[in-house]
Coordinates of all heavy atoms in Angstrom, one line a residue:
L161 N -1.6 2.3 0.1 CA -1.6 3.7 -0.2 C -1.1 4.6 1.0 O -0.2 5.4 0.8 CB -3.0 4.2 -0.6 CG -3.1 5.7 -1.0 CD1 -2.1 6.0 -2.2 CD2 -4.5 6.0 -1.4
M162 N -1.6 4.2 2.2 CA -1.1 5.0 3.3 C 0.4 4.8 3.6 O 1.1 5.8 3.8 CB -1.9 4.5 4.6 CG -1.5 5.2 5.9 SD -2.2 4.6 7.4 CE -1.4 3.0 7.4
V163 N 0.9 3.6 3.5 CA 2.3 3.3 3.7 C 3.2 3.9 2.7 O 4.2 4.5 3.0 CB 2.6 1.8 3.8 CG1 4.0 1.5 3.8 CG2 1.9 1.2 5.1
K164 N 2.7 3.9 1.4 CA 3.5 4.5 0.3 C 3.5 6.0 0.5 O 4.6 6.6 0.3 CB 2.8 4.1 -1.0 CG 3.7 4.3 -2.2 CD 4.9 3.4 -2.3 CE 5.6 3.6 -3.6 NZ 6.9 3.0 -3.7
R165 N 2.4 6.6 0.8 CA 2.4 8.1 1.0 C 3.3 8.4 2.2 O 4.1 9.4 2.1 CB 0.9 8.5 1.4 CG 0.7 10.0 1.5 CD -0.7 10.4 1.7 NE -1.4 9.6 2.6 CZ -1.7 9.9 3.9 NH1 -1.2 11.1 4.4 NH2 -2.3 9.2 4.7
W166 N 3.3 7.7 3.2 CA 4.2 7.9 4.4 C 5.7 7.8 3.9 O 6.5 8.7 4.3 CB 3.9 6.9 5.5 CG 4.8 6.8 6.6 CD1 4.9 7.7 7.6 CD2 5.8 5.8 6.9 NE1 5.9 7.3 8.6 CE2 6.4 6.1 8.1 CE3 6.1 4.6 6.3 CZ2 7.4 5.3 8.7 CZ3 7.1 3.8 6.8 CH2 7.7 4.1 8.0
S167 N 6.0 6.8 3.2 CA 7.4 6.6 2.7 C 7.8 7.7 1.8 O 8.9 8.2 2.0 CB 7.5 5.2 2.1 OG 8.8 5.0 1.6
L168 N 7.0 8.0 0.8 CA 7.4 9.0 -0.2 C 7.5 10.4 0.5 O 8.3 11.2 0.1 CB 6.4 9.1 -1.3 CG 6.4 7.9 -2.3 CD1 5.2 8.0 -3.2 CD2 7.7 7.8 -3.0
G169 N 6.7 10.6 1.6 CA 6.8 11.9 2.3 C 7.9 11.9 3.3 O 7.9 12.9 4.1
G170 N 8.8 11.0 3.3 CA 9.9 11.0 4.2 C 9.6 10.5 5.6 O 10.3 10.9 6.6
C171 N 8.6 9.7 5.7 CA 8.2 9.1 7.0 C 7.9 10.2 8.1 O 8.2 10.0 9.2 CB 9.2 8.1 7.5 SG 9.7 6.9 6.3
K172 N 7.3 11.3 7.7 CA 7.1 12.4 8.6 C 5.9 12.3 9.5 O 5.9 13.0 10.5 CB 7.1 13.7 7.7 CG 8.3 13.9 6.9 CD 8.8 15.4 7.1 CE 9.9 15.8 6.1 NZ 11.1 15.1 6.3
F173 N 4.9 11.6 9.1 CA 3.8 11.4 10.0 C 3.8 10.1 10.8 O 4.6 9.2 10.4 CB 2.4 11.6 9.3 CG 2.1 10.6 8.3 CD1 1.5 9.4 8.6 CD2 2.3 10.9 6.9 CE1 1.2 8.5 7.6 CE2 1.9 10.0 5.9 CZ 1.4 8.7 6.3
D174 N 3.1 10.1 11.9 CA 3.1 8.9 12.7 C 2.3 7.8 12.1 O 1.0 7.8 12.1 CB 2.5 9.3 14.1 CG 2.6 8.1 15.1 OD1 2.6 6.9 14.7 OD2 2.5 8.4 16.3
L175 N 2.9 6.8 11.5 CA 2.3 5.8 10.7 C 1.3 4.9 11.6 O 0.2 4.6 11.2 CB 3.3 4.8 10.1 CG 2.7 3.8 9.1 CD1 2.0 4.4 8.0 CD2 3.9 2.9 8.6
R176 N 1.7 4.7 12.8 CA 0.9 3.9 13.7 C -0.4 4.6 14.0 O -1.5 4.1 14.0 CB 1.6 3.5 15.0 CG 2.7 2.5 14.8 CD 3.4 2.1 16.1 NE 4.3 1.0 16.0 CZ 5.6 1.1 15.9 NH1 6.2 2.3 16.1 NH2 6.3 0.0 15.8

Side-chain angles (χ1 to χ4, degrees):
L161 181 60
M162 180 187 67
V163 170
K164 194 70 171 164
R165 184 173 48 97
W166 172 74
S167 177
L168 289 172
C171 307
K172 297 226 190 297
F173 63 84
D174 184 336
L175 186 60
R176 287 183 173 105

